[in-house]
Amino acid sequence: MSQETSLDPAVAARLKRNPDGLVPAIAQQYDTGEVLMLGWMDDEALHRTLTTGRATYWSRSRREYWVKGDTSGHVQWVKSVALDCDADTLLVKVDQVGAACHTGERTCFDADVLLRG
């Protein structure tokens, strides 16, 4: 992960990161409210997301940044980004093109439902 970032210092000061310097980022379809996926962002990924309009995450397994859709074509166009009340989770409202999940499903939360009400 990058040590230098251009993230607004006022925003950076508010973030409560995990020990790895990451904040969970929930991606939600902006117009339907459908929860699509959970990714992780550090300060630089958040900066890139805010300035490019494309959701950018930190891959914990590959240890590199990835822009959603660069390889799959399943782009997340960012509509808004909000910080929760504890400043430890981001809500990224997006317009999802195609599948959000790496399995090819629309959302990462369809396959293993533990309780249905």
Side-chain angles (χ1 to χ4, degrees):
M1 285 181 295
S2 171
Q3 295 300 325
E4 282 189 42
T5 182
S6 299
L7 184 62
D8 180 334
V11 174
R14 294 181 60 204
L15 291 176
K16 293 181 185 166
R17 300 159 193 82
N18 72 9
D20 295 323
L22 302 172
V23 177
I26 301 165
Q28 180 182 39
Q29 178 64 33
Y30 82 100
D31 54 354
T32 65
E34 177 182 30
V35 177
L36 301 168
M37 59 170 277
L38 172 85
W40 294 91
M41 292 185 181
D42 67 357
D43 289 20
E44 181 60 23
L46 178 56
H47 168 71
R48 293 179 189 187
T49 297
L50 294 172
T51 57
T52 66
R54 298 268 314 272
T56 303
Y57 301 98
W58 174 255
S59 171
R60 296 177 301 162
S61 59
R62 295 188 314 263
R63 311 228 21 100
E64 65 185 14
Y65 295 102
W66 57 282
V67 179
K68 184 68 175 165
D70 268 3
T71 56
S72 68
H74 299 165
V75 177
Q76 289 179 345
W77 297 107
V78 177
K79 298 293 187 174
S80 68
V81 179
L83 190 56
D84 80 333
C85 60
D86 293 324
D88 64 359
T89 304
L90 296 163
L91 178 61
V92 184
K93 291 190 178 184
V94 301
D95 189 9
Q96 176 70 48
V97 176
C101 188
H102 71 281
T103 64
E105 296 295 322
R106 170 76 182 161
T107 169
C108 294
F109 298 100
D110 279 348
D112 201 10
V113 178
L114 303 178
L115 177 67
R116 198 175 300 278

